Amino acid sequence: MLSGTLPMTNYTPDLQPLSLGANSKTLTGRATLNYLGRRGLYLNGTAAYTFRGNVTLDRSSYYTNGQLYLSNQVAMPNLFNYGTSVGYRKNNVSLLGDFSVQQARGGGDIRPQDMPFVSNRTNFSKAGATIKVPVPKVRDLQYWFIYSNTFQGRNVGQANTFTTGLMYTLPFEKRATP
């Protein structure tokens, strides 16, 4: 699969981590293999490579990776991602474990006593679990619980993330009348 992004506005990417994003054009190639067995065994593997275009700063120079650049153009490092998940999926019940990695193909480190810079190397490994179960007696309503732990990273903090919520699926198909 191929996908890409184009920034919709001309915002500055130079206020990390508060910026809307990196303001970079991207092109991503992704391959995914997915298996769902009759008894509910679920396996998924995916890998992607993202090419990122240069970004323009609202200033005429910047300092990163031990070097002063007399330009407002920043070369963005490309990204390589891969991950896998395994678990059980059947009858609107999902119990999954996952592992994923992101590796930046360049970029500098965040300097001490400084804010992050748009082209910093952001590598991380994380693992987690997802539980999705139907709510009894309420058709098309599911309860979700997701846990994720970023346990290793470069220019990325270690973190635990807990997500929970309800999801209602709107049925758009016309149901047969008896």
Side-chain angles (χ1 to χ4, degrees):
M1 174 181 83
L2 278 175
S3 65
T5 63
L6 295 170
M8 296 293 288
T9 62
N10 190 21
Y11 61 89
T12 182
D14 203 16
L15 299 172
Q16 299 290 330
L18 303 176
S19 181
L20 294 173
N23 202 14
S24 175
K25 296 175 184 171
T26 68
L27 179 64
T28 302
R30 175 175 299 278
T32 300
L33 294 172
N34 193 300
Y35 171 79
L36 179 59
R38 286 193 303 249
R39 294 185 181 205
L41 174 65
Y42 175 80
L43 299 169
N44 184 20
T46 187
Y49 195 88
T50 302
F51 297 93
R52 301 196 298 174
N54 290 355
V55 299
T56 303
L57 303 179
D58 286 343
R59 53 186 163 134
S60 59
S61 63
Y62 61 95
Y63 183 86
T64 187
N65 205 18
Q67 186 174 348
L68 176 65
Y69 293 86
L70 300 175
S71 171
N72 66 347
Q73 295 292 306
V74 179
M76 295 295 290
N78 296 332
L79 299 174
F80 175 62
N81 302 82
Y82 61 91
T84 186
S85 58
V86 62
Y88 173 83
R89 288 180 64 183
K90 194 168 185 178
N91 301 328
N92 290 328
V93 173
S94 294
L95 307 167
L96 306 173
D98 62 82
F99 173 76
S100 63
V101 173
Q102 175 178 291
Q103 298 173 344
R105 299 301 193 205
D109 288 317
I110 299 172
R111 296 181 302 162
Q113 309 303 318
D114 203 356
M115 64 184 201
F117 187 63
V118 68
S119 67
N120 284 145
R121 180 183 301 254
T122 52
N123 297 345
F124 62 81
S125 298
K126 65 181 181 176
T130 301
I131 299 170
K132 294 186 266 184
V133 293
V135 174
K137 300 182 182 180
V138 182
R139 185 182 182 119
D140 299 324
L141 185 65
Q142 279 188 330
Y143 171 74
W144 288 43
F145 177 81
I146 303 169
Y147 169 74
S148 177
N149 175 260
T150 304
F151 59 88
Q152 182 180 8
R154 181 173 179 168
N155 299 308
V156 175
Q158 293 182 357
N160 289 304
T161 304
F162 297 90
T163 306
T164 187
L166 296 171
M167 182 182 80
Y168 182 75
T169 304
L170 296 172
F172 289 107
E173 77 277 357
K174 189 173 184 175
R175 299 195 183 186
T177 55

